[in-house]
Structure formats: C-alpha cells, structure tokens
C-alpha cells in the first residue's frame, strides 16, 4: 500500500470513555439531532462526491474493501444531499460501526483512519465530530439499563418529530445505530428493537430489512477475505516450491562440477 498523505490526523476510536466521563457523556447525548441547511441534490452529484474522495485519497485500496466502500459512499451521498437530511448521532454510531467492521483486518491501521477521514469529508461532514458523537452515544448505551435506559436519550423523540414533519432522511445507518445501541445495552431481543424503532418514528420492516442487508454485506466480506487468504497461502506455497526446485537444481549443478 502507498504511504499515507502527510496531512492525515489521528482519529479517535469508538471506545467507551472512562467511568468518570459517563455522566458528561449522557448529558452530551441529549444533543442528538442537528438539522442542516438543505442542499439541492442537483448541485452536488455522485461524481462530485466520488471525486472529492479520490482527490483526498488517491491511493489504491484492495478490492475487498474498495467495492463495499464505493457502494457505501454512493448510498450515503443520496441521503446526505436530500432536502430532508439532518445530521444525527444515531446515524454516526451506525456508520462508525459499519466502517470499523468493514475495515477489520485492513493492512494498515493508520491508512484505515485516513480513509475514514477522506470518506466523511467527501460527504461534507467532520470526521472528528462523527467519531466523537458515535463514542458518546456508545458510552451512553453501555451505561444504560436495558432498552428503557436507552430510551432515556431524547434523540428518539427528536427523530420522531422530524419524521412526522417530513424533515428526516432515513438511512441504513440509522437502523444499524439502533441495533448497536441495543447491543451495547445488552438488550438485543426483537421486542427491544421494535420499541426503539417505534419511539424513533421509523418503520420496523425497513429497519429489519436494512439490518439484513448489513449482515449480508458482512458475510460477503468475510467470505471474500477468506478466499483472499486461501489465494495468498496457495501462492506462498507455490513460491516456496519454486524456490526449493531452484535450490535443488543449484545443488545438482555444484555436484556435477
């Protein structure tokens, strides 16, 4: 892989803050949804978004990751530039969860972080804010007592209000964010997901459908990584065999002399 651009900065990981920071984290979790000024979809095209990403990260990415990454970029482009778009911590948590699982096993941790920054900036968002908000919401969920504890966050009522007013652009990251919250709160039973979806004003069938697509994406990625590993091991064995044969020929030639 090529070296990273010098301007890349460190990106915080989605880990829970120390216990002493949890109260502050819960307080900050109240500011969950921020409505942004609407952007005309026709003013920013998919090609524009792709170009922004490629300009900021002009290095090759192994196809196992690049194919999925491009799909996510295109999908999120249409959400980001919808007139109903509103930034939310829930979506950030969902995206960070997807990204970190997608890039699990990536050759370089530093480049993984750089690609994250370039991806988010290509969508005109702030990478540090996305990471920070996801971490705060994750910490809040870890300290919650089941689904009712998770529902103590006002982000669900805020989302439901935006949905009712037709000012919310749903994305698959919202569904994944809901599931991740329940996972962290150790409340993954179907009834809990239904309760969160209802409290957020989201359609349960849509949420379940996107969770199914997400799990399918991870399954395909895992299969591709396993195939790549097998190909690498096979090539490694072939190389070793070729080197062994060369050594044998060299040894035979020395004896003949």
């Amino acid at each position: 892989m090529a070296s990273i651009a010098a301007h890349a900065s460190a990106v915080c990981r989605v880990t829970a803050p120390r216990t002493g920071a949890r109260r502050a984290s819960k307080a900050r979790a109240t500011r969950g949804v921020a409505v942004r000024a609407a952007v005309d979809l026709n003013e920013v095209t998919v090609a524009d978004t792709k170009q922004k990403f490629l300009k900021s990260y002009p290095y090759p990415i192994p196809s196992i990751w690049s194919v999925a990454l491009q799909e996510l970029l295109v999908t999120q482009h249409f959400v980001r530039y919808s007139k109903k778009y509103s930034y939310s911590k829930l979506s950030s948590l969902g995206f960070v969860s997807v990204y970190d699982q997608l890039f699990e096993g990536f050759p370089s941790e530093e480049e993984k972080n750089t690609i994250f920054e370039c991806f988010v900036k290509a969508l005109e968002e702030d990478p540090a804010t996305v990471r920070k908000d996801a971490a705060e919401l994750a910490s809040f969920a870890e300290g919650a007592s089941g689904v009712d504890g998770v529902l103590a966050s006002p982000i669900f009522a805020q989302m439901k209000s935006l949905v009712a007013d037709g000012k919310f652009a749903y994305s698959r990251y919202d569904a994944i964010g809901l599931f991740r919250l329940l996972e962290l709160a150790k409340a993954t039973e179907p009834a809990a997901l239904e309760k969160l979806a209802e409290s957020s004003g989201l359609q349960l069938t849509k949420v379940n459908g996107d969770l199914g697509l997400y799990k399918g994406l991870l399954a395909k990625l895992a299969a591709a990584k396993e195939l790549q590993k097998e190909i690498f091991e096979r090539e490694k064995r072939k190389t070793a065999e070729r080197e062994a044969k060369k050594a044998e020929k060299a040894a035979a030639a020395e004896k003949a002399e």
Side-chain angles (χ1 to χ4, degrees):
M1 296 286 288
S3 59
I4 304 172
H7 68 273
S9 58
V11 182
C12 40
R13 298 191 52 98
V14 185
T15 54
R18 290 190 293 272
T19 305
R22 282 184 177 170
R23 290 184 181 178
S25 177
K26 288 185 178 182
R28 290 192 294 269
T30 62
R31 299 186 296 275
V33 180
V35 179
R36 301 285 176 83
V39 179
D40 186 351
L41 181 60
N42 294 318
E43 291 182 359
V44 183
T45 66
V46 171
D48 292 333
T49 298
K50 284 186 172 183
Q51 185 59 33
K52 286 178 186 176
F53 175 76
L54 293 174
K55 186 176 180 180
S56 60
Y57 194 85
Y59 311 112
I61 300 174
S63 60
I64 287 179
W65 290 279
S66 65
V67 173
L69 190 70
Q70 287 298 320
E71 180 185 341
L72 295 179
L73 186 63
V74 171
T75 301
Q76 191 60 15
H77 166 90
F78 290 109
V79 176
R80 173 64 182 88
Y81 293 108
S82 166
K83 291 183 178 181
K84 296 180 180 180
Y85 177 76
S86 55
Y87 171 83
S88 75
K89 287 186 177 183
L90 182 66
S91 183
S92 289
L93 176 62
F95 171 68
V96 168
S97 299
V98 170
Y99 186 88
D100 286 347
Q101 290 189 59
L102 175 65
F103 274 79
E104 189 174 300
F106 194 71
S108 168
E109 186 69 18
E110 191 176 7
E111 288 203 36
K112 168 187 167 182
N113 291 336
T114 303
I115 294 169
F116 175 91
E117 289 187 350
C118 295
F119 184 102
V120 176
K121 286 179 179 178
L123 293 163
E124 299 296 333
E125 296 288 4
D126 179 50
T129 298
V130 170
R131 280 283 186 187
K132 177 179 69 68
D133 287 349
E136 288 176 0
L137 194 53
S139 178
F140 169 78
E142 285 183 325
S145 54
V147 64
D148 290 330
V150 172
L151 284 171
S153 172
I155 66 171
F156 304 107
Q158 292 170 7
M159 283 180 60
K160 191 169 187 177
S161 177
L162 287 173
V163 171
D165 292 340
K167 297 178 180 179
F168 185 80
Y170 169 84
S171 81
R172 68 179 64 174
Y173 299 131
D174 294 306
I176 297 164
L178 288 181
F179 182 77
R180 183 61 178 148
L181 284 175
L182 293 174
E183 196 173 44
L184 292 168
K186 296 179 173 58
T188 55
E189 61 275 9
L193 181 61
E194 182 177 0
K195 197 170 185 178
L196 276 195
E198 182 181 353
S199 298
S200 306
L202 303 180
Q203 296 180 14
L204 182 62
T205 52
K206 182 64 176 174
V207 169
N208 279 326
D210 282 332
L211 287 176
L213 290 174
Y214 168 57
K215 291 175 182 176
L217 172 65
L218 292 180
K220 288 180 181 178
L221 182 65
K225 287 180 179 179
E226 187 61 31
L227 178 60
Q228 186 186 54
K229 182 180 178 181
E230 290 177 3
I231 292 173
F232 176 77
E233 291 297 331
R234 184 165 62 246
E235 290 302 317
K236 187 177 178 180
R237 287 195 299 271
K238 287 182 179 179
T239 299
E241 288 173 1
R242 286 194 295 268
E243 292 300 322
K245 287 181 179 179
K246 285 182 181 179
E248 287 177 5
K249 287 182 179 179
E254 286 182 5
K255 285 183 179 180
E257 292 176 358

